[in-house]
Amino acid sequence: MNSDPAYTDPAGGAPKKLTRSQDRMIAGVCGGLADYFGLDAALVRVLFVASILLPGPQFLIYLVLWLVMPDRKSVA
């Protein structure tokens, strides 16, 4: 068993799952990442918007995560 705190849910000890959040602005990707890593969703959204100003595939990565990450209500 992995003892890494990022691997398990503090409430139940079950492995965390990366899912899109119901607290969403567009697709729930930033909210899902924030839930998974234990961060504030607003902070992740601001960092994503700020990263758009830098060169790179940020928007493409967001679209891929939107397609790959399951919706939380379909998993639960």
Side-chain angles (χ1 to χ4, degrees):
M1 172 130 172
N2 193 342
S3 63
D4 183 12
Y7 179 74
T8 59
D9 182 16
K16 286 181 154 185
K17 295 183 181 179
L18 184 58
T19 58
R20 289 186 288 134
S21 175
Q22 296 303 308
D23 173 26
R24 55 179 68 174
M25 295 293 243
I26 298 174
V29 173
C30 290
L33 290 171
D35 290 343
Y36 187 79
F37 291 111
L39 301 171
D40 184 37
L43 174 66
V44 175
R45 290 179 186 124
V46 167
L47 290 174
F48 173 72
V49 170
S51 76
I52 294 295
L53 301 173
L54 300 172
Q58 296 87 337
F59 190 69
L60 181 62
I61 291 170
Y62 186 90
L63 290 176
V64 168
L65 287 174
W66 188 353
L67 295 172
V68 173
M69 289 172 62
D71 198 16
R72 181 165 297 149
K73 62 184 169 190
S74 67
V75 173

